[in-house]
Amino acid sequence: MKNDGEPMSVALEKLTEIAETIYGQLDSGDIPKMSLPLRTKGNIRFDNKTNVWKYGKATGVRSAKKAVGAYMLLRTMHMLEFIGDMISDSKSSTLREMYYISEGWGKAKFNSQDESDKLAEDLEIITKCLREDFKLRPEEDGARVIGNLTLEETDRKGKKKRMNCRDDVGDSGYSVPYNVESDKIKLISHDADFIIAIETGGMFDRLVENGFDEDFRSVLVHLKGQPARSTRRFIKRLNEELKLPVVTFTDGDPWSFRIHASVAYGAIKTAHISEYLATPTAEFIGITASDILNYDLPTDKLSDVDIKALEAELTDPRFRDPFWKTEIETMLENKKKAEQQALAKYGLDYVTDTYLPEKLTQAGII
Amino acid sequence: MATIAEELARKQKEISVSEFFERNRQILGFDSTVKALIVAIKEAVDNSLDACEEASILPDVSVTISKLDQTEFRVSVRDNGPGIVRAQMPNVFGRLLYGSRFHAIRQSRGQQGIGISAVVMYSQITTGKATHIRSKIAESDVSNDIDLTIDTKKNRPVVVREDHLIWEEGGTRVDHGTLIEFNLGARYVTGKQSVMEYLRSTAVVNPHATIRYTDPEGKVYNFDRATQTMPPKAVEVKPHPYGLEIGTLINMLAYTQEKRLSLFLRNEFSRISDRVAREICEKAMVSPDRRPKDISLEQAKAILAAIAQTKIMAPQTDCLSPIGEALIKRGLKNVLGTLRPEFYAQPVTRPPAVNGGNPYQVEAGIVYGGELPPDQPVTIMRYANRVPLLYQQGACATTQVVGAIDWRRYGLEQRGGTGIPYGPAVILVHVLSTKLPFTSESKEAIAPIPNIMEEIDLALRTCARNLKSHLNKKETKSRAAVKFDIVTEIIPKIAEKTSKILERPVPDISRTITKIMNVVFIEDSVEYDQKKKLTKATIRVRNYTARKQELKVHALVPREYIDSGSIYPEPAEIADDGKIMWDIKKMQSLQTVECTFAMKGLERDDYTENEVYVSDINPATVIGAETLPGDWGIKTFEFEETEEEEADYDEEEGELSEE
Ligand SMILES: Nc1ncnc2c1ncn2[C@@H]1O[C@H](COP(=O)(O)OP(=O)(O)OP(=O)(O)O)[C@@H](O)[C@H]1O
Ligand SMILES: [Mg+2]
């Protein structure tokens, strides 16, 4: 992923190459097309070197023969031009702004932000650059961190600010910026034994209120549902650089299984940068399908969509291990899911006094 | 005019009540108050249209309903027909089984001589009021204006008031016509089975009539005539002996002027020669000289049996008056036009056929798309002798045939391939005959007789194939439209953008275009020149492939209208059935060839879409025209090898729900 030389000029060079290819195809009377690795669960492979899931060798073609392909190629050209302009003007834009910029592209206008985000990722894959190199950044979505961790952030004015994520922050914690690379954030010191990544805000607040970070010497990270790249990258840095083990604590439903997968194995959508985002040693501590039974938690019935999602997971290579197979099958069998806050059935302290200590012991963390 | 009215009068001979009961076991159509209103109007309107057609007058019929209270309505029906002579007025309206058509073997709406008197009777029973009739024939200066009731015991009309007056409508004097007004116990509804629907359906198959309807709220609907041409007059023929019923035979024997059985057979029936008459008498073992009046019931039965065993020429069929393909289309357009249907399948009028002793004929039409409701069962418009059938849909031969066809093959939805199909379509079926086999006297459904059903099936399938070919064309066109968008909009923009990014000249994209299109594209258009009454058709063939192409283009054109001098370029062949064939040789890549021709004497809308076929070219390379159906003979083609397709990146189902 790291390119030698100035990343901006490398990006520009690579993007120009794309335009060259298309130009060349037209000039020689061919149908313009681009080859890309297929971004499907069928085309991710486990990489033994990095222990994460990356795209395999299968490729698909985006060809101007079909309307969808033709439109995407035209959009690509517009996006190349726009990125080029930003680089030479030293500007940057959010992904959302990028989407709105396309309003002025006439027929090439994106139908949704999903589409423009996806194209930005396509360009990352082709050029092996990061979207930041294209001067595109996500909106700040401020995943929160609380724990005894000291870091130094360079603010927008270039000033370095040192802060402790327990003592120098309010109740909502330290808010993770979109850029978490070392030029922006330096990890200074810590006094913690592990990191616990939590899916929901409600549970994060519960652990904060119950003083779980201090009592169990842990760093709490709020995932906010499907975690943003910066959150995953931040967790990975803590894990690699500070050698802190990571556990994920989510709801007990098919979607939460995928949250864990994106933290630990790599998301399908960003499999081209899995080695940079995923923390292969992260452990899932719950809520598991077996927890629902063992702790007799209040449940909801699985919806049809939930069942479809579980069935899809059965054929997802990332879940192809005995633990997940049993979990998924158990959930399909019982047709029940539970939220992490369902633990409140046994009182507000139950999660920190009983559930987590039990699960963390089982996992060998404490 | 005198001759016609008087002629009618002469024929309005009495039919005995007993005869009526022999042939019609129940009193008809008044089984509910909703239905009574529709049936009463239908009887009056049918009579008006019949009378106008007999007198060769383009019908103007006005129907008005006024609401008196919750259960009582007043109906008035006025026509511009020949009128009725004074002497016949009471009998026509006040005496059951008194009609001019009872013995006539000819296609007309009225058949039984009971329709309008039954209305008068129903009015009288439910409201106790008299019926008002005004009628004027052209020869008389004044109209006769009477109020009439029926003495039901004696089956005799009673004129309770009589006047003679000058008839004016809207300030102008009426020359001839009839007005009938009556009150009746009824209920007014709107919807599928309503007066409006009946009149609308009537307008479709009577494009020569103007119908004006004023509903109980005073709202006026006008169905203006779509043609000035009267339908061809149905000639009156004598009955054919096949299909004769015992009751009819007995009546005919009783009423005939003939003095001998052999002459009776020869003169009162069609297709019976002296020789055949003798043969029948012999087989029946009745003397040919016997007086018809003296023939017993046993002998009559023997005659009937003898007829069945005798070879007799099929009945003549010129007594039928079909609407015709052009007029069905015009009628449908006239009434459904506001819904802007996308397509009118070319209507079909089948040649006449014979069932029992009666000639019959089937016509069909299909209207598709536009604002017709897309997700409901199709509307089936059933007609018998130009009269819409609104009731007993399920029992009708027409419905049964529609339900037995697998419409999925013709582009409509249908669960399991049987039953009424779904989709934005109207299916019209008209069955006409000198004597239609109805399931009952209320004339609401055509009996499912195999012969007739087969004809309906053939007519519908021909129409349906036409619909399907239109839908195919539309489908390929929309696929072509997508490609056009790519090559005319997107590729040029891609070329422009890349050259701008790279600061290089815009590349030539023509070869790329032919690779993307890779078809020979055929478009057809039709224009109508109102002034010259000229229909101009253009077939545009464009070679969007990278190679030279050769092909033959065929257009099916109504032969009698082609203006042979107008065909361009010189056609290779004009067949007797009206097929024009062009042999297009050596079309360069990106070249366009236009084939044009004109037709004279057609109305606007008569011809709106060319029927184009191609041959001698790989059908897979052509968009916009189908290959010539097999029976015209085509070369078979080796299909070109298509390149190995790589997976489409944008269509591959990705699971990208995660960040
Ligand atoms: N509006 C009219 N103008 C001229 N003649 C009419 C009119 N209405 C009825 N008649 C004459 O009166 C006759 C009787 O009409 P009626 O409706 O009772 O019987 P029909 O039409 O012969 O048969 P059906 O019972 O099948 O309707 C008709 O045959 C026709 O000669
Ligand atoms: Mg009648």
Side-chain angles (χ1 to χ4, degrees), chain B residues 12 47 51 79 92 98 100-101 110-116 443:
Chain B
Q12 279 151 355
N47 283 352
D79 65 55
V92 160
Y98 196 94
S100 55
R101 281 178 270 278
Q111 288 186 338
Q112 313 178 108
I114 85 172
I116 203 64
K443 303 197 283 188

Side-chain angles (χ1 to χ4, degrees), chain B residues 13-14 16 18-19 103 246-259 261 264 268 291-296 300:
Chain B
K13 52 190 168 187
E14 192 173 339
S16 78
S18 57
E19 182 183 348
H103 295 294
I246 184 75
T248 316
L249 177 58
I250 289 170
N251 280 317
M252 292 176 74
L253 288 164
Y255 282 107
T256 183
Q257 308 291 319
E258 299 294 341
K259 302 283 179 277
L261 176 60
F264 164 79
E268 297 276 359
R291 272 168 62 99
K293 287 195 171 49
D294 298 339
I295 287 183
S296 70

Side-chain angles (χ1 to χ4, degrees), chain A residues 16 20 22-23 26-30 32 36-41 60-62 64-67 70-71 74 77-78 81 107 118 122 131 226-227 229 232 258 267-270 318, chain B residues 482-483 485-486 489-491 493-502 504-509 511-512 515-516 643 645-659:
Chain A
T16 313
E20 299 254 12
I22 301 292
Y23 186 94
L26 283 174
D27 203 34
S28 51
D30 290 329
L36 287 149
L38 286 180
R39 296 167 67 189
T40 59
K41 73 175 177 204
V61 161
R62 173 171 279 163
K65 206 189 228 167
K66 293 200 183 142
Y71 274 84
L74 178 57
M77 294 309 122
H78 276 276
E81 191 187 34
K107 281 200 147 192
K118 202 181 156 214
D122 290 344
R131 59 189 180 194
Q226 269 297 343
R229 283 187 187 187
R232 284 182 281 157
R258 292 179 188 196
I268 296 173
K269 202 169 178 253
T270 52
R318 297 173 303 166
Chain B
V482 171
K483 290 199 165 191
D485 182 52
I486 297 177
E489 298 267 352
I490 308 303
I491 297 291
K493 290 201 169 101
I494 294 178
E496 196 190 300
K497 269 277 153 257
T498 47
S499 59
K500 190 173 161 223
I501 294 172
L502 302 172
R504 284 192 219 156
V506 180
D508 174 14
I509 55 173
R511 278 176 307 155
T512 303
K515 275 193 191 149
I516 290 175
E643 38 182 311
E645 285 278 323
E646 276 177 277
D648 187 313
Y649 180 73
D650 293 295
E651 280 170 16
E652 211 52 46
E653 276 298 307
E655 237 185 274
L656 298 179
S657 58
E658 306 165 2
E659 160 64 7

Side-chain angles (χ1 to χ4, degrees), chain B residues 124-169:
Chain B
Q124 183 174 326
I125 292 163
T126 53
T127 69
K129 301 204 175 92
T131 293
H132 170 222
I133 300 139
R134 181 183 297 177
S135 192
K136 180 178 176 304
I137 58 171
E139 293 64 34
S140 164
D141 291 333
V142 289
S143 64
N144 297 301
D145 193 75
I146 63 172
D147 284 352
L148 179 131
T149 56
I150 299 176
D151 178 340
T152 43
K153 279 205 194 95
K154 294 192 190 130
N155 185 22
R156 281 286 179 275
V158 182
V159 175
V160 292
R161 182 191 63 82
E162 163 144 33
D163 205 353
H164 308 277
L165 38 85
I166 303 232
W167 187 0
E168 283 191 356
E169 290 287 344

Side-chain angles (χ1 to χ4, degrees), chain B residues 176-404:
Chain B
H176 48 83
T178 302
L179 165 75
I180 172 167
E181 288 183 301
F182 47 86
N183 287 17
L184 75 173
R187 208 154 68 79
Y188 176 81
V189 295
T190 53
K192 265 199 167 164
Q193 293 171 334
S194 63
V195 174
M196 179 64 187
E197 244 353 90
Y198 160 70
L199 291 176
R200 185 208 305 277
S201 312
T202 302
V204 170
V205 292
N206 293 282
H208 63 294
T210 287
I211 299 173
R212 166 197 275 265
Y213 168 47
T214 311
D215 77 6
E217 263 136 44
K219 209 166 159 209
V220 182
Y221 304 87
N222 272 314
F223 300 102
D224 290 330
R225 68 174 52 85
T227 173
Q228 302 291 327
T229 325
M230 291 292 293
K233 230 174 156 174
V235 285
E236 198 168 310
V237 292
K238 290 178 184 146
H240 189 275
Y242 287 166
L244 184 65
E245 284 162 16
I246 184 75
T248 316
L249 177 58
I250 289 170
N251 280 317
M252 292 176 74
L253 288 164
Y255 282 107
T256 183
Q257 308 291 319
E258 299 294 341
K259 302 283 179 277
R260 286 153 62 190
L261 176 60
S262 60
L263 290 177
F264 164 79
L265 288 173
R266 197 191 68 187
N267 295 336
E268 297 276 359
F269 292 94
S270 69
R271 307 297 204 205
I272 295 190
S273 61
D274 284 329
R275 190 189 54 75
V276 174
R278 269 199 310 278
E279 194 182 329
I280 294 170
C281 294
E282 248 165 60
K283 282 188 180 151
M285 295 196 290
V286 182
S287 158
D289 297 330
R290 194 164 175 87
R291 272 168 62 99
K293 287 195 171 49
D294 298 339
I295 287 183
S296 70
L297 181 62
E298 287 310 307
Q299 285 171 322
K301 283 183 180 165
I303 291 170
L304 220 54
I307 287 172
Q309 290 163 25
T310 308
K311 239 206 173 122
I312 305 171
M313 255 175 88
Q316 66 205 81
T317 52
D318 55 1
C319 46
L320 297 176
S321 165
I323 304 164
E325 297 172 356
L327 284 183
I328 290 181
K329 192 162 170 184
R330 224 177 279 170
L332 284 167
K333 274 206 168 142
N334 195 32
V335 175
L336 299 172
T338 49
L339 294 170
R340 274 181 265 282
E342 162 193 318
F343 184 66
Y344 295 84
Q346 182 58 36
V348 170
T349 298
R350 296 277 312 156
V354 176
N355 174 53
N358 300 300
Y360 71 97
Q361 199 166 359
V362 173
E363 301 184 283
I366 298 178
V367 183
Y368 182 88
E371 287 159 35
L372 292 170
D375 38 20
Q376 281 171 32
V378 303
T379 305
I380 304 176
M381 299 184 97
R382 300 177 291 135
Y383 294 94
N385 286 352
R386 291 183 190 241
V387 176
L389 306 178
L390 297 186
Y391 297 98
Q392 296 197 31
Q393 167 151 312
C396 192
T398 295
T399 317
Q400 294 183 15
V401 174
V402 170

Side-chain angles (χ1 to χ4, degrees), chain A residues 135-295:
Chain A
K135 309 279 239 160
L136 292 171
R137 61 188 148 82
E139 277 78 79
E140 300 284 358
D141 63 355
R144 303 183 278 154
V145 178
I146 281 189
N148 192 354
L149 166 73
T150 305
L151 39 80
E152 187 183 85
E153 187 179 322
T154 309
D155 75 4
R156 58 202 174 282
K157 290 180 184 136
K159 266 222 222 102
K160 292 186 188 339
K161 278 192 181 143
R162 193 169 280 225
M163 69 191 98
N164 180 277
C165 295
R166 185 185 62 198
D167 304 334
D168 304 336
V169 298
D171 289 349
S172 58
Y174 169 70
S175 179
V176 178
Y178 77 85
N179 179 5
V180 294
E181 296 309 318
S182 45
D183 58 328
K184 172 85 177 167
I185 294 174
K186 279 207 172 62
L187 306 176
I188 307 295
S189 64
H190 73 280
D191 186 24
D193 293 338
F194 66 96
I195 293 162
I196 178 164
I198 302 146
E199 176 179 351
T200 66
M203 185 50 76
F204 180 83
D205 292 340
R206 166 60 41 224
L207 298 201
V208 172
E209 188 180 311
N210 290 6
F212 188 79
D213 55 325
E214 297 195 32
D215 295 353
F216 285 86
R217 296 173 49 76
S218 58
V219 177
L220 314 183
V221 180
H222 174 207
L223 293 174
K224 275 197 153 179
Q226 269 297 343
R229 283 187 187 187
S230 56
T231 311
R232 284 182 281 157
R233 175 69 183 150
F234 186 69
I235 293 172
K236 185 177 177 70
R237 284 194 62 201
L238 296 184
N239 171 259
E240 280 191 343
E241 296 172 30
L242 307 180
K243 307 278 182 265
L244 289 174
V246 175
V247 296
T248 54
F249 177 30
T250 67
D251 286 340
D253 66 33
W255 314 100
S256 302
F257 296 171
R258 292 179 188 196
I259 289 176
H260 170 76
S262 80
V263 172
Y265 316 136
I268 296 173
K269 202 169 178 253
T270 52
H272 56 301
I273 42 176
S274 286
E275 59 190 278
Y276 165 87
L277 297 178
T279 309
T281 54
E283 287 232 30
F284 182 66
I285 52 168
I287 307 284
T288 62
S290 343
D291 288 346
I292 297 177
L293 303 175
N294 298 341
Y295 290 87

